[in-house]
Amino acid sequence: MEIGLKDDRFHDECGVFGIYGHPEAANITYLGLYSLQHRGQESAGIVSSDGRNLYSHKGMGLVADVFSGSDIERLHGTSSIGHVRYSTTGDSHIKNAQPFVVEYARGGIAVAHNGNLVNAALLRAEFEAYGSIFQSSMDTETIVHLIASSKETSLVNRVTSALKRVQGSYSLLFLTEDTMIAARDPFGFRPLSLGRLKGAWVVASETCAFDLIEADYVREIAPGEILVINKDGIVSYRPFPMVPYKPCVFEFIYFARPDSTIFGANVYSVRKKLGARLSEEHPVEADIVVPVPDSGVPAAVGYAEASGIPFEKGIVRNHYVGRTFIEPKDSIRHFGVKIKLNAIRDVINGKRVIVIDDSIVRGTTSRKIIKMIRNAGAKEVHMRISSPPTICPCYYGIDTPRSKELIASAQTVEDINEYITSDTLGYLSIEGLYRAVSEAGASFCDACFTGKYPIDIIDHAASQLALFK
Ligand code: AMP
């Protein structure tokens, strides 16, 4: 995550993948990253080890564009970690691509991070006051400095002492010449799973990566767990005090892939339940249920099934356009929706349409979609959202805009209904959300919907203080 004290926008979402003990480690990591591409499309990177040296290749763009066959051949060795990064364009720079690799007094170390630290700017300022030089603007680099400056003698103790100083969300992979380490923050904000591929150990943000490489799912990496994997086997450490488990509920709503199992439940099944709950809470007489592809599809299936109203794929998505969300300016975003989505007149014309999407952020997408559906001849358009209103930014690794750009932070549902020009608008309630995700547990980080942040935003407080001074 980019460290920016000036705004409260956080900048990236990511996916990580690692493998230890496989003759084609880099190739498998490439495939793993390919299946995690939805978690980050801006840059991709792999670092491998042959036991003596680390080899790295990173680039801007999609996994398939960043790596050629010969790039992968040059990534020697039987262990490797990889990373895909998703960010807003302002911070897009190769220097921020991961895995982040350094040489320090004890050898090489690479790190791949999904999440966002909330005290990294403060820690960085401390290092810089003593003359440390940083190569990137990523919070992840702070972890590397903490490891390098640790007085501990073993790698696991150095990593542990570093992680005890950072606060925020992290699902991390480290690679040295002979060891891979996986770590998940004590709150367990972001997912991270362990798998087995023949004799090798694999770790991935989401289980869809295991399916592609035909690895067996072993278990989730526990919140606060540090897992050390090397030639002696696998050892688990739990060095942190227990805190409440707070996995990110938005992973279920939007971010994770429907074929993944995260936090103990399948994402598709949860999304269908969100849709079913939504139909109970906001029923309406209509002719068809149409999802906003792709994110609204499972919830629309659930809504249609529960309401008995036929499901129709009345909007087609052009799959060759990146997510509109990564476009930096509003002018481009508006344009992006038209490029990406088109309504099927034959399906929509003369119908009362229920449109299902997973969330409304700024409202621009919904407004455009409703206009498009009306232009295709819809008699009525009823917007249904399979999550509660997004009222607060996330500081733990999901890219949401600052509060004032979140339409629901200042406007009522009636105001939003008017703005997006739907006939009616219904959001899922917090209770409905919890009923749908209950299979995965009772406690989540839902700060984007409630403003209840499990960890204080320390960098933010520091920036306020600096402004005050
Ligand atoms: P907006 O036009 O700003 O209201 O964006 C709403 C659309 O963005 C919905 O279709 C969501 O599926 C999608 N969306 C929600 N959250 C995110 C996110 N963090 N990153 C990318 N897209 C998102």
Side-chain angles (χ1 to χ4, degrees):
M1 152 92 194
E2 178 97 359
I3 298 173
L5 291 182
K6 287 184 292 304
D7 69 34
D8 64 355
R9 185 182 180 127
F10 55 121
H11 297 279
D12 46 17
E13 305 164 331
C14 304
V16 297
F17 182 92
I19 182 159
Y20 186 93
H22 195 284
E24 289 185 75
N27 231 318
I28 301 278
T29 303
Y30 171 82
L31 290 170
L33 292 185
Y34 201 79
S35 64
L36 297 174
Q37 186 76 82
H38 61 289
R39 297 186 73 87
Q41 296 106 46
E42 186 189 86
S43 67
I46 297 178
V47 172
S48 70
S49 170
D50 62 2
R52 293 179 302 279
N53 294 302
L54 296 183
Y55 304 87
S56 165
H57 183 80
K58 298 188 265 189
M60 302 306 289
L62 300 176
V63 176
D65 300 328
V66 168
F67 296 95
S68 67
S70 57
D71 293 330
I72 292 178
E73 268 168 35
R74 280 194 290 273
L75 293 166
H76 307 290
T78 56
S79 57
S80 87
I81 61 170
H83 187 266
V84 284
R85 180 169 187 253
Y86 179 128
S87 95
T88 51
T89 315
D91 351 295
S92 76
H93 199 283
I94 185 72
K95 73 178 181 349
N96 287 340
Q98 294 194 23
F100 189 75
V101 207
V102 292
E103 282 288 328
Y104 74 118
R106 296 170 191 269
I109 188 161
V111 55
H113 176 200
N114 172 210
N116 177 46
L117 306 181
V118 296
N119 65 340
L122 207 63
L123 291 169
R124 180 180 175 137
E126 282 174 28
F127 275 112
E128 287 178 332
Y130 286 96
S132 293
I133 293 167
F134 280 70
Q135 297 171 30
S136 74
S137 53
M138 283 181 299
D139 58 352
T140 313
E141 192 175 354
T142 310
I143 300 175
V144 176
H145 279 262
L146 288 166
I147 293 174
S149 63
S150 165
K151 306 259 179 309
E152 298 288 346
T153 47
S154 73
L155 176 65
V156 63
N157 286 347
R158 281 197 297 280
V159 168
T160 304
S161 70
L163 295 183
K164 283 187 169 168
R165 303 248 350 247
V166 301
Q167 291 182 44
S169 66
Y170 53 82
S171 280
L172 283 162
L173 283 172
F174 298 93
L175 187 70
T176 66
E177 287 79 359
D178 57 12
T179 302
M180 181 166 88
I181 294 183
R184 193 163 166 222
D185 71 71
F187 291 91
F189 286 107
R190 308 257 74 88
L192 194 64
S193 288
L194 178 69
R196 198 84 164 118
L197 177 61
K198 302 195 177 86
W201 291 103
V202 282
V203 176
S205 290
E206 287 181 41
T207 59
C208 62
F210 297 161
D211 297 341
L212 178 64
I213 61 171
E214 296 185 343
D216 295 320
Y217 172 75
V218 176
R219 64 174 174 87
E220 283 219 326
I221 298 197
E225 181 173 13
I226 297 182
L227 209 53
V228 179
I229 305 169
N230 57 27
K231 64 172 178 12
D232 301 323
I234 182 164
V235 183
S236 165
Y237 299 84
R238 298 286 188 92
F240 307 106
M242 283 279 277
V243 292
Y245 183 35
K246 289 284 174 191
C248 164
V249 79
F250 201 68
E251 292 271 355
F252 277 129
I253 291 164
Y254 170 78
F255 200 43
R257 238 170 75 157
D259 50 342
S260 288
T261 292
I262 56 164
F263 314 141
N266 167 248
V267 175
Y268 178 83
S269 310
V270 169
R271 284 186 193 160
K272 257 186 82 175
K273 286 188 199 160
L274 294 170
R277 298 279 92 86
L278 187 60
S279 94
E280 287 168 16
E281 291 185 5
H282 296 286
V284 60
E285 269 192 35
D287 303 308
I288 49 173
V289 176
V290 172
V292 174
D294 293 324
S295 54
V297 173
V301 171
Y303 193 108
E305 220 172 77
S307 64
I309 300 170
F311 172 93
E312 287 282 5
K313 282 200 94 178
I315 302 173
V316 171
R317 175 175 166 183
N318 180 338
H319 284 269
Y320 306 98
V321 185
R323 290 180 181 188
T324 53
F325 212 73
I326 61 172
E327 303 289 359
K329 292 192 207 110
D330 271 3
S331 54
I332 300 177
R333 281 171 50 75
H334 291 191
F335 185 48
V337 174
K338 274 189 271 172
I339 291 182
K340 195 164 121 179
L341 301 172
N342 192 24
I344 305 174
R345 171 167 279 276
D346 223 45
V347 173
I348 304 279
N349 197 17
K351 304 269 172 48
R352 296 169 299 172
V353 184
I354 300 173
V355 182
I356 312 274
D357 204 354
D358 65 281
S359 57
I360 296 180
V361 183
R362 295 178 180 85
T364 37
T365 308
S366 308
R367 196 178 150 93
K368 291 278 159 188
I369 286 170
I370 290 165
K371 190 173 172 206
M372 194 170 73
I373 291 186
R374 290 206 194 276
N375 287 344
K379 248 189 348 201
E380 290 168 20
V381 185
H382 303 279
M383 192 77 193
R384 295 292 180 269
I385 303 297
S386 62
S387 65
T390 306
I391 55 169
C392 290
C394 171
Y395 295 97
Y396 312 128
I398 295 279
D399 181 25
T400 49
R402 62 190 77 189
S403 301
K404 65 172 191 267
E405 289 173 47
L406 291 170
I407 191 166
S409 77
Q411 300 202 39
T412 63
V413 174
E414 293 75 50
D415 294 338
I416 300 169
N417 185 40
E418 200 170 307
Y419 174 73
I420 64 176
T421 73
S422 36
D423 290 286
T424 65
L425 167 66
Y427 283 93
L428 187 65
S429 66
I430 289 276
E431 299 71 43
L433 169 64
Y434 273 89
R435 278 177 67 203
V437 296
S438 59
E439 183 193 345
S443 163
F444 287 88
C445 176
D446 54 19
C448 50
F449 306 125
T450 61
K452 291 181 193 144
Y453 293 98
I455 313 179
D456 291 339
I457 316 305
I458 293 159
D459 284 347
H460 217 55
S463 83
Q464 298 296 322
L465 209 61
L467 283 174
F468 189 66
K469 277 179 188 157

